[in-house]
Amino acid sequence: LYHSPLWVVFVVFCCFIWVIANFVSHTVASITILPVIVSVGCQLGNGNCDAGHFRLLGVGGLFMCSCAMGLPVSSFPNIQTFALKDQYGLPYLKTSDFVKTGFLIGFLGLLLLLSAQY
């Protein structure tokens, strides 16, 4: 991975974060994954963080954490809306509603981020 071009490393990390952040909350994903990504960005500059690409990988990782909203457990607002029930005790939203819109928004965010990185 260290000998790959920067855009390959960027795409791999963005996709990895996007998948992980859909299954855990955004906060947990950013706290656990971003320090690793920033250290890899520093290593891309041969140990010199100023010459590395840690800012690009860090900001891209933060953006992808925010774009991950495909499941009800991925953020606190998703959980709150998933828990709402109508007068008959039936939920307003199903998991499939989150999957349809959340993964589409996440994919569009990934495309936007990759085009901006280009």
Side-chain angles (χ1 to χ4, degrees):
L1 191 62
Y2 289 118
H3 302 292
S4 300
L6 177 62
W7 69 272
V8 172
V9 174
F10 188 72
V11 169
V12 167
F13 277 129
C14 283
C15 291
F16 176 72
I17 289 173
W18 183 49
V19 169
I20 296 298
N22 274 308
F23 292 101
V24 298
S25 72
H26 299 144
T27 307
V28 172
S30 63
I31 288 172
T32 57
I33 297 172
L34 287 177
V36 174
I37 290 174
V38 169
S39 68
V40 169
C42 285
Q43 292 301 318
L44 289 175
N46 295 325
N48 183 5
C49 282
D50 292 333
H53 301 284
F54 72 97
R55 287 184 188 94
L56 174 70
L57 295 177
V59 170
L62 286 172
F63 187 77
M64 287 315 299
C65 280
S66 297
C67 285
M69 58 182 85
L71 294 173
V73 296
S74 60
S75 71
F76 182 71
N78 284 7
I79 292 172
Q80 289 292 82
T81 56
F82 186 68
L84 290 175
K85 304 211 182 292
D86 64 5
Q87 61 198 16
Y88 302 110
L90 300 172
Y92 284 109
L93 297 172
K94 300 179 191 84
T95 304
S96 61
D97 297 326
F98 287 96
V99 170
K100 285 187 279 191
T101 56
F103 280 111
L104 176 66
I105 291 171
F107 184 70
L108 292 175
L110 178 64
L111 290 178
L112 177 70
L113 186 63
L114 295 179
S115 66
Q117 189 267 341
Y118 175 74

